[in-house]
Amino acid sequence: MFRSIRNAFITGLVVILPLGVTIIVINFLLQKLGTPASNFFFWFLDRQFRDMPAVALALEIISILVVFLLITLLGYCSRFVIGRILLRWMEKLLGQVPFINSVYRTVKQIVDTISQQNKAVFQEVVLIEYPRAHSYVLGFLTSKAKGEPQEVTGANIVNVFVPTTPNPTSGFLLMLPDTDVTRLKMSITDGMKLIISGGAVVPPGEGEPVKIENPEEARGRSGN
C-alpha cells in the first residue's frame, strides 16, 4: 500500500511539475520585470487606477511584451551599421566605469562563447582518469588550450569541463594533455543523461573509444 501511495505521489509530481515551473516563471516575470516596467512605462496614469488588481495585471503583461519587443528591436538594429556603432559606443562608455566594466566584459565573454554559431561549447564526450589512476570520470571537451597554459606546459593541452552529479550546471575545469583524454562516441545528450541520472541511464556502446593522439607522435609514426 505504501509503495502504491509513493508511486502515485511521484506520478502526481511528474504531472504537476511542468505546470508548477511554468507558474513560477510567469510569477517571476510579473514581479521582477512586469511591475518595474509597468511603473516606468505607465507612470503618467493615476496611482489608484494602476493599483486596481485587473488593471495592474494588464499593465504588467503589456510591459513584459514591450520589453521583449524592445529587446527584439535591439537585436535587429545590431545587424545594421548604425546599430553596431551605437553598441560600440555603449561598450566604450561602460568600459570607462570602474567595476561595471569588469562585470560587463566577463558576462559578454560568457555570452559570446555560448552563442557562437556553428560551434558547440561541448564538442565531445570524453573519459579521463580522475582523481586518481584507474578511477574514471565523464567530461566534455570544450576546446584546445591556448596562450600561457600551452606555453608553460609545452604540451598539447585540452580543456575538459567535468560536471557534477546530478546538477551538471556546476563543475570544474581540467587542463589535460590530449594524450590523457579518451574520446567517446556517445552524444552530448547521452553524456548529460548519464551524469544527471547518476549512472542509472547508460547509453549503449557504439564501438571502441578513440584516444586523442599527440600530433607530434602521429607525425612521427606517419614518417616512419
Side-chain angles (χ1 to χ4, degrees):
M1 183 182 67
F2 289 107
R3 181 179 300 178
S4 177
I5 294 175
R6 182 196 63 182
N7 293 338
F9 178 75
I10 294 176
T11 304
L13 283 180
V14 173
V15 172
I16 201 173
L17 187 59
L19 178 60
V21 172
T22 303
I23 294 175
I24 292 175
V25 171
I26 293 176
N27 185 58
F28 175 82
L29 289 175
L30 291 176
Q31 291 184 353
K32 302 300 181 180
L33 180 61
T35 300
S38 175
N39 294 332
F40 177 79
F41 291 132
F42 302 102
W43 58 270
F44 54 89
L45 296 178
D46 183 71
R47 184 69 182 182
Q48 294 182 351
F49 177 73
R50 281 190 294 156
D51 289 340
M52 296 175 62
V55 175
L57 179 60
L59 294 179
E60 289 176 356
I61 294 176
I62 294 174
S63 300
I64 292 176
L65 295 177
V66 171
V67 170
F68 277 105
L69 177 62
L70 292 177
I71 294 175
T72 304
L73 290 176
L74 179 62
Y76 277 115
C77 292
S78 64
R79 300 179 181 179
F80 301 100
V81 177
I82 297 179
R84 293 175 182 175
I85 294 175
L86 292 176
L87 287 177
R88 292 196 189 100
W89 177 82
M90 183 187 69
E91 289 180 353
K92 290 182 180 180
L93 181 63
L94 293 175
Q96 298 177 357
V97 181
F99 179 72
I100 294 180
N101 54 3
S102 59
V103 174
Y104 178 78
R105 282 196 300 266
T106 302
V107 175
K108 189 175 186 299
Q109 289 175 355
I110 296 174
V111 173
D112 289 342
T113 301
I114 296 177
S115 61
Q116 284 181 348
Q117 295 182 354
N118 301 326
K119 183 178 180 182
V121 176
F122 296 154
Q123 299 179 5
E124 292 179 276
V125 182
V126 298
L127 199 67
I128 60 175
E129 290 188 87
Y130 182 87
R132 60 175 178 82
H134 308 297
S135 175
Y136 299 92
V137 68
L138 205 67
F140 297 95
L141 182 67
T142 57
S143 64
K144 290 186 177 180
K146 299 179 181 179
E148 189 174 358
Q150 189 85 19
E151 297 172 359
V152 171
T153 58
N156 295 301
I157 304 298
V158 294
N159 297 323
V160 176
F161 173 71
V162 178
T164 56
T165 301
N167 179 18
T169 58
S170 63
F172 45 92
L173 173 67
L174 296 179
M175 296 184 179
L176 304 170
D178 54 6
T179 52
D180 293 342
V181 177
T182 301
R183 293 179 178 174
L184 301 180
K185 292 185 178 181
M186 72 172 65
S187 64
I188 303 298
T189 302
D190 288 338
M192 279 295 180
K193 290 179 181 178
L194 181 60
I195 292 173
I196 294 174
S197 66
V201 179
V202 182
E206 299 181 2
E208 295 295 328
V210 180
K211 196 77 173 180
I212 297 182
E213 295 184 344
N214 189 309
E216 295 180 359
E217 296 178 358
R219 286 196 297 269
R221 285 196 298 271
S222 62
N224 294 333

